[in-house]
């Protein structure tokens, strides 16, 4: 089989979408047309997976369904403790701590939260469970028997979902925070017990006038993360 031809235009398009993509943390209330969401889901469905298992399943909310979920989720977290299906990081050290801290500082600076303002910091964290006012949320789950590699495949799906959203002029916010209340999500949406919650994605049209959507995170130079073995 002949090698795939090098297409500079395709590479440039993908580069532009990756460069332009950002995490939206404030959405307009305007809903996304069902046809547009279907196009996004069709695109994400092309995601590769181990042995083509395609372990992801997606619950997508819209309209009153999003509003009910947002209300019930907020009520639940007020009286519950996190129970994620996949263990969260035990700690952040070294460069990972530095990157996380820089991201947090830029986020807080964008909305005028000063260091030590614990009340406003907690209020900003709560915005995750308000879905940043998004009109839609997607809950991504994987099959329990497929273990960590099913979750890895779902991570690829999430990445393609985010790029697809960007290409359609949508904003999106991947949220591990939603997965921290996995039992509630299973019960609320009727997700089978053998499914594991990987993450949620709030999405819709971005509010570009809101200051929280003005900051961008940095990326490490690829030469600092790639190890050559010639």
């Amino acid at each position: 089989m002949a090698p795939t031809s090098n297409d500079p235009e395709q590479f440039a398009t993908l580069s532009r979408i990756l460069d332009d993509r950002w995490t939206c943390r404030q959405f307009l209330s305007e809903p996304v047309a069902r046809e547009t969401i279907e196009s996004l889901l069709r695109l994400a469905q092309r995601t590769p997976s181990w042995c083509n298992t395609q372990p992801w399943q997606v619950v997508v909310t819209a309209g009153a369904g999003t509003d009910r979920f947002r209300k019930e989720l907020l009520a639940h977290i007020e009286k519950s403790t996190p129970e994620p299906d996949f263990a969260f990081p035990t700690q952040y050290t070294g460069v990972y701590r530095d990157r996380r801290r820089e991201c947090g500082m830029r986020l807080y600076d964008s909305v005028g939260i000063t260091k030590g303002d614990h009340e406003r910091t907690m209020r900003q964290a709560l915005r995750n469970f308000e879905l940043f006012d998004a009109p839609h949320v997607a809950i991504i789950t994987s099959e329990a028997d497929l273990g960590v590699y099913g979750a890895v495949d779902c991570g690829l799906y999430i990445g393609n979902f985010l790029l697809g959203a960007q290409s359609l002029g949508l904003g999106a916010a991947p949220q591990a925070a939603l997965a921290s209340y996995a039992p509630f999500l299973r019960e609320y949406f009727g997700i089978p017990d053998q499914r594991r919650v990987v993450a949620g994605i709030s999405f819709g049209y971005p509010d570009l006038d809101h200051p929280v959507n003005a900051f961008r995170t940095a990326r490490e130079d690829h030469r600092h993360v790639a190890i050559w073995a010639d």
Side-chain angles (χ1 to χ4, degrees):
M1 180 180 296
T4 304
S5 61
N6 181 14
D7 188 336
E9 290 187 6
Q10 286 190 351
F11 184 81
T13 298
L14 180 57
S15 295
R16 185 174 66 254
I17 294 172
L18 277 164
D19 287 341
D20 291 347
R21 194 212 66 80
W22 49 282
T23 296
C24 180
R25 291 181 175 87
Q26 181 62 50
F27 295 86
L28 301 175
S29 59
E30 178 185 356
V32 180
R34 179 65 63 92
E35 312 87 80
T36 302
I37 298 176
E38 292 282 0
S39 295
L40 174 56
L41 295 173
R42 278 195 299 272
L43 183 147
Q45 193 62 30
R46 301 304 303 168
T47 298
S49 57
W50 188 328
C51 298
N52 196 35
T53 51
Q54 303 172 58
W56 49 81
Q57 289 183 4
V58 190
V59 176
V60 182
T61 69
T66 304
D67 294 333
R68 286 194 300 270
F69 172 61
R70 186 175 7 243
K71 179 180 178 180
E72 294 296 329
L73 177 61
L74 284 167
H76 175 77
I77 68 171
E78 288 180 357
K79 60 180 186 297
S80 306
T81 56
E83 295 181 73
D85 286 335
F86 296 95
F88 277 26
T90 56
Q91 62 178 333
Y92 295 88
T93 60
V95 67
Y96 312 112
R97 177 193 58 216
D98 296 341
R99 292 169 184 162
R100 182 173 185 264
R101 182 176 296 166
E102 180 188 15
C103 178
M105 290 176 60
R106 289 192 179 190
L107 168 61
Y108 298 145
D109 285 347
S110 72
V111 290
I113 299 176
T114 58
K115 186 177 181 180
D117 189 339
H118 301 296
E119 182 177 348
R120 291 191 64 194
T121 298
M122 291 300 296
R123 177 66 189 133
Q124 182 61 41
L126 191 64
R127 294 290 291 145
N128 278 279
F129 305 102
E130 294 173 346
L131 313 178
F132 305 117
D133 298 333
H136 308 279
V137 66
I139 304 298
I140 292 86
T141 68
S142 181
E143 189 71 16
D145 289 344
L146 298 181
V148 67
Y149 287 102
V152 169
D153 288 340
C154 288
L156 294 175
Y157 179 91
I158 291 168
N160 286 334
F161 188 107
L162 299 178
L163 294 180
Q166 179 68 32
S167 73
L168 291 167
L170 303 176
Q175 296 173 264
L178 302 185
S180 63
Y181 292 92
F184 168 79
L185 297 183
R186 260 191 299 277
E187 180 179 0
Y188 184 86
F189 289 113
I191 298 170
D193 289 342
Q194 72 268 22
R195 305 293 302 176
R196 296 293 176 262
V197 179
V198 179
I201 308 174
S202 294
F203 68 99
Y205 292 103
D207 182 352
L208 298 178
D209 293 328
H210 197 287
V212 77
N213 285 333
F215 91 97
R216 299 290 183 270
T217 54
R219 292 294 182 272
E220 187 64 78
D221 189 300
H222 74 277
R223 291 167 295 187
H224 296 163
V225 300
I227 300 173
W228 288 85
D230 292 330

